[in-house]
Amino acid sequence: MNSSRAYGLLAGVAVTLLSTVSIDVFAAGYSADPAQSHLEFTGVQAGADFKGVFHKFTAAVNFSADALATSHFDVQIDMSSEDSKDKDRDQTVKGPDVFDVAHNPTAHYVTKSITKTASGYSAVGSLTLRGVTKDVPIDFQFTQAGSGAKLEGSAKLKRLDFGVGQGEWKSTEMVNDAVKVSFSLLLKPNT
Amino acid sequence: MPIEASRTRYTSVAQALHWIIAALIVTQFTLGWMGEDLPLGAHKLSLLARHKSFGMTVLMLAVLRLSWRLFNPPPPLPDGMSKIERFLARATHGAFYVLLFAMPLTGWLMSSAKNYSVSWFGLFTWPDLIAPNERAFDFLKGTHDLLSNVLFAVAVLHILAAVKHHFWNKDDVFRRMLPFTKTEKQL
């Protein structure tokens, strides 16, 4: 092996090392562990709160506190997995007047920007629900836990912005317009 | 309150509670019948929301009424009532008190079991008594329905007895629960 080839090899190793180091300025990639992640909504029906959960959803999260510009969430929700612990209500909620699961089987949330706040972080992203896409802000906390992380937060939205509630469910007399969404995700690093 | 008045008539508090609760029970039967067979919809939710608010009102008034009764015993039954009549009168009144609690409580329980928490006229929400459970709901709904039939029967017996006392026996039994009237002994 002559010296020029050895220098070339060294340079190659250096470039590889540098590029490895440079990955640090990009956010780390995670996905939510379905078994230990929870996504629910709280609505108000006839004056009383009711909760529903989504059993099936995926969340791909790229996040680093020092690389917010490249941090990003992508959440896909299987709307047919909605469960409010009453089959009559679930049937109505999945039906044509509310989620219309037959025509809109998934909801999708993608962040556009993430900023630091006093108590955690705030994301602005677009939510596609029942075929309508609108910006929805989310407040969240990101806590490193071993090689993974915990992501907890909530968002407030107006169901009628997305057409969730047609016909008799358009009225806010029995079901409020405001709905709270909250989530607690256990993130595992992507391998 | 004069002792004499409390001996021959129900107190005005007892009278007020009796008639308010009676009016609420009539309302409850009406709302319950209108709402129960409707499919899930805004109209059903609206009727049942009112049914639940009035039901919880009955429960609160029942607590008040029973407490009042403990410190203000009702006037004695008139002389000349047979043993069986006395037994029927006591059994009917006893059943009413049990049902005044059992009806709202089974209603509250079935709302919890179906995961539809009970709001009181939208002002506040009562805590859920049990976790959502479909089988518990079916059982509690069956119980609530059965008790409503018992309540209906007891109410019919109660009204017939009042009519009998007033028009047949011509005694004070009905009038002593009727506000703005006087009973003979008081005169």
Side-chain angles (χ1 to χ4, degrees):
Chain A
M1 185 187 286
N2 62 36
S3 61
S4 70
R5 275 192 71 185
Y7 282 124
L9 195 65
L10 270 175
V13 169
V15 165
T16 312
L17 277 172
L18 273 173
S19 66
T20 312
V21 168
S22 72
I23 282 172
D24 266 0
V25 304
F26 293 102
Y30 304 91
S31 11
D33 175 5
Q36 297 181 77
S37 296
H38 186 83
L39 173 64
E40 68 173 32
F41 65 92
T42 307
V44 181
Q45 183 176 62
D49 282 5
F50 76 102
K51 279 186 199 317
V53 301
F54 293 102
H55 291 299
K56 284 188 199 157
F57 61 95
T58 59
V61 175
N62 285 284
F63 188 88
S64 285
D66 49 7
L68 293 182
T70 53
S71 293
H72 176 257
F73 310 162
D74 190 309
V75 183
Q76 301 258 12
I77 304 162
D78 179 349
M79 299 304 279
S80 68
S81 72
E82 184 274 345
D83 178 7
S84 72
K85 291 181 179 163
D86 172 43
K87 61 179 194 300
D88 296 332
R89 179 168 47 204
D90 291 338
Q91 199 183 341
T92 303
V93 165
K94 291 175 198 175
D97 282 348
V98 188
F99 285 159
D100 194 15
V101 169
H103 298 104
N104 303 281
T106 54
H108 190 196
Y109 184 78
V110 190
T111 57
K112 292 175 174 173
S113 68
I114 297 176
T115 49
K116 180 96 184 80
T117 62
S119 57
Y121 301 93
S122 178
V124 174
S126 60
L127 174 65
T128 305
L129 177 61
R130 207 183 187 273
V132 178
T133 303
K134 277 206 154 74
D135 280 0
V136 172
I138 287 182
D139 288 318
F140 67 93
Q141 314 266 338
F142 184 91
T143 327
Q144 207 77 41
S147 60
K150 190 135 192 148
L151 184 68
E152 289 169 293
S154 64
K156 280 177 185 160
L157 54 91
K158 290 190 164 154
R159 63 181 179 91
L160 294 177
D161 285 353
F162 299 89
V164 173
Q166 298 290 315
E168 62 173 337
W169 301 111
K170 243 182 192 165
S171 160
T172 55
E173 204 181 315
M174 276 302 119
V175 183
N176 289 14
D177 194 8
V179 174
K180 192 184 164 193
V181 177
S182 43
F183 56 88
S184 167
L185 312 181
L186 187 83
L187 300 178
K188 294 206 160 158
N190 292 336
T191 46
Chain B
M1 190 148 303
I3 291 165
E4 194 60 28
S6 71
R7 272 197 189 150
T8 62
R9 293 178 63 75
Y10 280 91
T11 61
S12 40
V13 172
Q15 290 175 350
L17 286 169
H18 171 272
W19 290 105
I20 292 167
I21 291 172
L24 284 170
I25 289 173
V26 171
T27 311
Q28 285 298 73
F29 270 105
T30 313
L31 290 171
W33 284 329
M34 285 167 75
E36 71 171 341
D37 292 330
L38 287 176
L40 179 58
H43 187 50
K44 179 175 188 142
L45 286 180
S46 155
L47 288 171
L48 292 184
R50 258 172 259 172
H51 183 77
K52 285 150 77 165
S53 297
F54 284 132
M56 295 310 283
T57 311
V58 170
L59 181 61
M60 291 187 280
L61 292 176
V63 172
L64 208 62
R65 191 167 171 193
L66 194 62
S67 328
W68 182 265
R69 190 187 166 103
L70 290 178
F71 297 102
N72 301 271
L77 294 171
D79 303 334
M81 273 175 75
S82 70
K83 262 190 176 167
I84 182 88
E85 284 174 324
R86 284 170 186 276
F87 168 77
L88 270 176
R90 292 218 177 88
T92 309
H93 293 157
F96 267 130
Y97 277 100
V98 171
L99 290 164
L100 281 186
F101 286 90
M103 286 303 294
L105 286 173
T106 50
W108 187 0
L109 282 164
M110 69 190 255
S111 296
S112 301
K114 206 166 169 66
N115 203 21
Y116 286 63
S117 304
V118 178
S119 163
W120 197 66
F121 299 106
L123 296 175
F124 65 91
T125 305
W126 295 83
D128 291 325
L129 297 176
I130 52 171
N133 181 326
E134 201 179 325
R135 282 175 61 197
F137 170 78
D138 290 340
F139 171 75
L140 288 160
K141 186 179 186 302
T143 310
H144 194 70
D145 290 351
L146 176 75
L147 290 180
S148 76
N149 292 330
V150 176
L151 177 58
F152 191 87
V154 173
V156 168
L157 190 63
H158 181 68
I159 293 163
L160 288 177
V163 168
K164 172 193 167 276
H165 276 282
H166 193 69
F167 293 106
W168 182 267
N169 302 111
K170 296 190 182 356
D171 59 22
D172 285 338
V173 163
F174 176 60
R175 246 175 305 163
R176 65 192 197 167
M177 191 43 114
L178 202 60
F180 318 117
T181 58
K182 283 192 160 72
T183 43
E184 276 175 37
K185 276 180 192 169
Q186 222 181 6
L187 290 171

